Amino acid sequence: MAAPVTDLPWWKTAVIYQIYPISFFDSNGDGIGDLNGIASKLDYLKDLGVDVLWLSPIYRSPLADMGYDISDYQNIDPRYGTLEDWDNLLKGVHERGMKLMMDLVVNHSSDEHDWFIQSRSDKLNPKRDWYIWRPPRYDPSGRRQPPNNWKAVFQGSAWEYDEKTSEYYLHLYLTKQPDLNWDNVEVRDAVWKLMKFWLDRGCDGFRMDVINIISKAEGLPDAPVTVPEEPYQHASIHFANGPRVHEYLREMNEKVLSKYDLITVGETPFTHDTEELAAYVLPKNKELNMVFQFELMDIDSPLEGEDVVPLIYKPWKLSDLKNIVRRWQTFKRDEGFWNTVFTENHDHARSVSRFGDDSTDEWRAISAKMLALLQVTQGGTQFIFQGQELGLKNFPRTWGIEEYKDIASQNYWNKILSKRTNESGGAEVDMSDVLGDFAKKARDHARVPMQWNASSNAGFTTGTPWMRVNEDYEVWNAENQVQDENSVRAFWRRLLKIRKNNIVLIAGDFEELVHDHERIFAFVRRLGDQVALVVLNFGNEDVTVRLDSPTLPWPSLQLEIGNYRNQGEVPIADGTLEMKGFEGRLYLFR
C-alpha cells in the first residue's frame, strides 16, 4: 500500500486550481465572471480533485492590468461582487474541505489608490515616500530625461513625469501601476495590515505577485545597454532579487505568515538561477513555502539581453525541457527545497498548443493527456489553470489584433507597428509575423471565457462576454467532458486521484532515463519500496524505446494509467516499449 500522505504538510500534497475570475463564470448576465459564479461551480472543482482555489485579483481596481493594479486592498471590485459574496464563497469552499488562496499584489498599487493620490499631491505629504520618486535628469541640450534608462516590462520608460511636483515616479509595469517603496517601514507595516485583514477573515494563504522585485538596487543605477537602438534598457539586473528582498520576506514571515497555517507561493520572474531562487524557499530561511520559477515557461521565448521576450516564438527542444525538469526535480531536496509544478497560468498560452498537438481533435485529446501525465507525475505542489483540465487550446490564428485585450499584447503591437511605420515612411506595413507569434504566445489565450457547455457563449454568460469565446466550445466544454469517461477531464480526475494515493509521485526521488532520446522523456520516481515509471512520447509518430535500468523491477511494474491503454495492460518484459504518437504511461510498483 502507498504511504499515508498525512506525513507531509497539507500544502505539499495539495492540488491548486487557479481561477481567472473575470473569465470563469458570470452569474448575473453582465458578461463578466464573478464571485457568485465561482461559488456555483464548487462541486465541479471538488469532483475534479481540487484542494485549493487560487483567485487572481478581485480587489477594487481600474483594471488597467486586469486587476493587478489595486486601488483598495480591503474591498472587492463591484464587478465581481461584495465582501459578503466573498464570505459566502469562502464558506462554500471550507464546507467542501477545500481552501482559498488570494493573490497578493504589493510591489505596486494602482495610481488611483488613496496612498498614491496622497503621495503625488505634494512633496511634503506624509505618504510621499511611500512610492519611489526622483528628480529629472537633463541631457546636454537641456531636455528633461527620466532618472535612469530602465525599460518598463510593458514597454517604454519605467518612469512617469508628474507635472504638479516636477518629479518622476517609478513604475516597472504600467504608468497606472506605481511601485511601492518597500524601504519605507510604514509601507511594510501597511502591507502586513492588509494581509492580516484577509487572513483574519478566513483566507488560507497567498500567491505573491512579482514578490522578488520589491527591493531595488541602491541608487537605481542605469541598466547595461544591451539593445543599443532602444532608448530604454532591460533592467531586471537592478530590480529583481534586490539587496533587501530576503530581509523583507523574513520580516513578513515573522510578523504575519508564521502566525497562521498557510500556503505561500511567490512569483519570481526574471530569474532562472537556482541558488537565487532557493533562498526564497529553503525552510532554514523562514520566508516562503515555494516559488513559481519560469524556466520551463520561457523555453520558447528568445532572449534580448538578459531578459526573455515573451511575445516572440522560438522553437523549443525536448532536450531543453528534460534538462529543466530534471534540474528542478533534483534540486536541493536534502535541504527542503519544494517545487511548484505547472504548465499553464494566466500569463501564458495554452499548454496543448505549445507543447502538444492541437491540429486535430484526436491529437489534441491524446497530447493533452500526455501533458497531464508530465505535470502530475512530477514532485511538488500541483497547479492547474482553469480549462487546462479540458484540454482547452489557443484561439485561432484568424482572429485579428482587435481580439487581443491584454495590455502587454496591445503595447507590443503598437511599438512594432510604430517602428515599422516610421521605417516605411508611413506606408502600410506587414504585421502578420507579429500576429503569428501572438497566436502561439500571447497571454490572451488563457483569458478567454471558460467553456462550460454548448449553449450560447459557451454557457459562460447570458449577456455579452467581455472577451470573445473560443470557437470550438460546442464540442470542447465541461458538460461534454464530465459525461465522457474518456475525456481529457476524466483523465485528469483519475490522474489526480492516483497522485493522492501514491506519495511517491509527490515526494519521491527523480531519475531520468534515455536522456539523449529525441522523442522520449522517461523518468523514475522512488520512495522507499515504491517505484513509479513515467514514459512520454513527444511526437505524433510511433517509436520503439529500450529503457536500460537494471534496478527497475520490470516484470512487477503494472500500468496504472495511460492515454491509450487501460490499467493493468502492457507488461514490460525487458524495458522495451512500443509507444504510439503522444502516448504517455505511468507504471507503478508498490
Side-chain angles (χ1 to χ4, degrees):
M1 292 294 293
V5 295
T6 50
D7 292 346
L8 295 173
W10 66 266
W11 52 267
K12 287 189 174 183
T13 65
V15 172
I16 292 110
Y17 188 96
Q18 183 188 359
I19 290 176
Y20 199 65
I22 197 170
S23 294
F24 192 65
F25 184 65
D26 170 22
S27 70
N28 61 7
D30 64 357
I32 292 174
D34 48 49
L35 293 179
N36 289 336
I38 297 169
S40 72
K41 299 296 185 180
L42 292 181
D43 289 336
Y44 168 88
L45 298 172
K46 180 67 176 178
D47 176 73
L48 179 62
V50 171
D51 301 303
V52 181
L53 276 62
W54 155 26
L55 303 184
S56 289
I58 51 172
Y59 314 98
R60 190 178 290 271
S61 167
L63 294 192
D65 184 25
M66 300 308 299
Y68 286 87
D69 50 315
I70 296 169
S71 57
D72 185 348
Y73 286 100
Q74 294 179 208
N75 214 334
I76 303 297
D77 193 285
R79 300 174 183 88
Y80 300 130
T82 64
L83 278 172
E84 290 69 30
D85 293 334
W86 187 90
D87 291 337
N88 178 64
L89 172 62
L90 182 74
K91 182 174 181 288
V93 167
H94 286 170
E95 285 175 348
R96 289 165 176 80
M98 299 188 290
K99 296 180 184 291
L100 188 66
M101 181 167 73
M102 296 283 278
D103 221 311
L104 184 72
V105 187
V106 287
N107 172 71
H108 46 263
S109 73
S110 167
D111 67 341
E112 297 182 29
H113 196 293
D114 182 64
W115 296 345
F116 188 72
I117 291 172
Q118 291 190 54
S119 182
R120 78 187 310 174
S121 67
D122 192 295
K123 288 183 180 180
L124 299 179
N125 188 281
K127 285 190 168 56
R128 181 67 172 184
D129 194 40
W130 280 44
Y131 294 84
I132 300 172
W133 293 91
R134 293 293 185 274
R137 294 195 299 192
Y138 292 90
D139 63 21
S141 62
R143 288 176 299 188
R144 188 184 72 234
Q145 299 292 337
N148 64 30
N149 68 347
W150 293 6
K151 179 181 181 179
V153 175
F154 293 153
Q155 310 303 323
S157 173
W159 297 91
E160 180 73 2
Y161 187 67
D162 180 66
E163 295 284 352
K164 183 174 181 179
T165 58
S166 302
E167 286 192 333
Y168 286 85
Y169 66 86
L170 179 69
H171 61 90
L172 292 179
Y173 289 85
L174 296 175
T175 58
K176 289 186 68 62
Q177 294 171 292
D179 280 48
L180 285 158
N181 178 17
W182 274 70
D183 294 340
N184 185 333
V185 66
E186 293 181 2
V187 169
R188 301 199 300 276
D189 286 342
V191 171
W192 311 156
K193 181 180 178 181
L194 71 89
M195 292 174 73
K196 290 175 183 176
F197 171 84
W198 291 105
L199 295 173
D200 291 341
R201 205 172 183 99
C203 170
D204 298 297
F206 295 106
R207 175 265 190 187
M208 303 182 187
D209 186 64
V210 296
I211 200 65
N212 65 325
I213 68 172
I214 58 176
S215 172
K216 281 69 173 177
E218 196 75 32
L220 308 179
D222 275 339
V225 177
T226 55
V227 189
E229 65 272 17
E230 296 277 351
Y232 308 113
Q233 303 295 315
H234 296 287
S236 61
I237 188 174
H238 292 316
F239 62 71
N241 314 300
R244 301 183 68 185
V245 64
H246 296 293
E247 172 192 341
Y248 297 153
L249 288 178
R250 284 191 296 271
E251 182 181 334
M252 176 192 288
N253 189 297
E254 176 188 354
K255 295 187 175 180
V256 183
L257 305 180
S258 63
K259 312 296 185 186
Y260 303 84
D261 180 23
L262 299 178
I263 181 171
T264 57
V265 53
E267 184 193 27
T268 52
F270 316 106
T271 311
H272 289 172
D273 182 82
T274 52
E275 295 295 331
E276 195 86 66
L277 291 163
Y280 295 93
V281 178
L282 295 180
K284 65 182 180 182
N285 294 345
K286 297 182 178 180
E287 295 185 21
L288 304 174
N289 295 152
M290 50 195 153
V291 295
F292 289 126
Q293 52 80 18
F294 295 100
E295 194 170 5
L296 180 59
M297 293 294 95
D298 293 337
I299 195 172
D300 55 358
S301 297
L303 285 174
E304 188 172 82
E306 293 294 316
D307 291 337
V308 299
V309 185
L311 285 169
I312 296 179
Y313 174 74
K314 179 195 78 173
W316 61 278
K317 295 186 292 187
L318 180 60
S319 58
D320 292 336
L321 183 147
K322 292 180 183 182
N323 287 336
I324 292 166
V325 172
R326 183 184 69 251
R327 176 160 53 252
W328 289 103
Q329 286 291 293
T330 58
F331 181 63
K332 290 188 181 291
R333 290 174 51 84
D334 56 339
E335 296 180 48
F337 185 87
W338 192 254
N339 280 295
T340 57
V341 186
F342 65 102
T343 48
E344 289 192 19
N345 65 23
H346 67 291
D347 279 337
H348 295 92
R350 291 295 185 175
S351 59
V352 72
S353 299
R354 297 177 72 190
F355 307 119
D357 184 344
D358 65 4
S359 61
T360 68
D361 282 356
E362 182 182 14
W363 282 130
R364 176 179 174 183
I366 290 169
S367 62
K369 293 174 184 178
M370 185 274 289
L371 292 170
L373 271 167
L374 168 68
Q375 176 171 324
V376 177
T377 57
Q378 290 182 55
T381 299
Q382 291 288 323
F383 291 80
I384 305 171
F385 181 69
Q386 66 182 46
Q388 182 182 358
E389 78 278 11
L390 304 177
L392 296 190
K393 69 173 184 175
N394 288 0
F395 54 73
R397 168 67 176 79
T398 53
W399 287 20
I401 187 60
E402 70 278 1
E403 304 293 353
Y404 289 82
K405 309 299 184 186
D406 179 29
I407 192 68
S409 302
Q410 295 170 11
N411 283 1
Y412 186 80
W413 175 274
N414 291 333
K415 171 191 170 184
I416 301 301
L417 179 61
S418 176
K419 179 182 178 184
R420 291 181 180 180
T421 301
N422 289 337
E423 291 171 349
S424 72
E428 186 175 345
V429 297
D430 180 14
M431 294 286 286
S432 60
D433 60 324
V434 178
L435 205 57
D437 283 335
F438 282 12
K440 295 184 179 79
K441 297 296 299 295
R443 304 195 302 182
D444 305 78
H445 297 292
R447 302 177 179 192
V448 296
M450 180 72 169
Q451 296 168 207
W452 290 108
N453 56 47
S455 68
S456 178
N457 297 317
F460 163 70
T461 180
T462 57
T464 301
W466 77 276
M467 186 177 183
R468 184 175 173 182
V469 176
N470 208 340
E471 297 164 5
D472 60 1
Y473 69 86
E474 292 184 356
V475 174
W476 289 83
N477 63 66
E479 184 175 87
N480 284 352
Q481 295 203 24
V482 166
Q483 298 168 1
D484 179 3
E485 64 179 14
N486 294 314
S487 68
V488 177
R489 183 188 184 276
F491 191 83
W492 268 97
R493 186 173 180 270
R494 291 197 298 272
L495 194 52
L496 292 174
K497 191 172 294 185
I498 291 168
R499 175 184 178 271
K500 289 183 179 182
N501 290 332
N502 293 276
I503 195 173
V504 63
L505 297 176
I506 301 172
D509 293 337
F510 181 96
E511 175 194 357
E512 187 188 356
L513 307 177
V514 293
H515 175 74
D516 293 330
H517 201 290
E518 294 181 355
R519 294 267 303 283
I520 296 294
F521 188 14
F523 53 88
V524 178
R525 309 288 312 284
R526 288 187 175 91
L527 186 67
D529 60 356
Q530 295 184 67
V531 179
L533 169 66
V534 181
V535 189
L536 309 168
N537 180 5
F538 275 81
N540 59 15
E541 297 178 355
D542 296 357
V543 63
T544 300
V545 60
R546 178 172 174 80
L547 304 176
D548 187 14
S549 180
T551 62
L552 280 176
W554 293 113
S556 301
L557 288 173
Q558 296 293 315
L559 182 67
E560 187 73 13
I561 190 171
N563 59 354
Y564 277 87
R565 296 175 173 87
N566 296 323
Q567 178 179 355
E569 293 183 3
V570 199
I572 308 175
D574 61 354
T576 301
L577 288 83
E578 302 281 345
M579 300 289 292
K580 293 186 178 296
F582 285 107
E583 184 170 6
R585 303 183 198 172
L586 167 62
Y587 293 88
L588 291 177
F589 171 76
R590 294 185 289 258

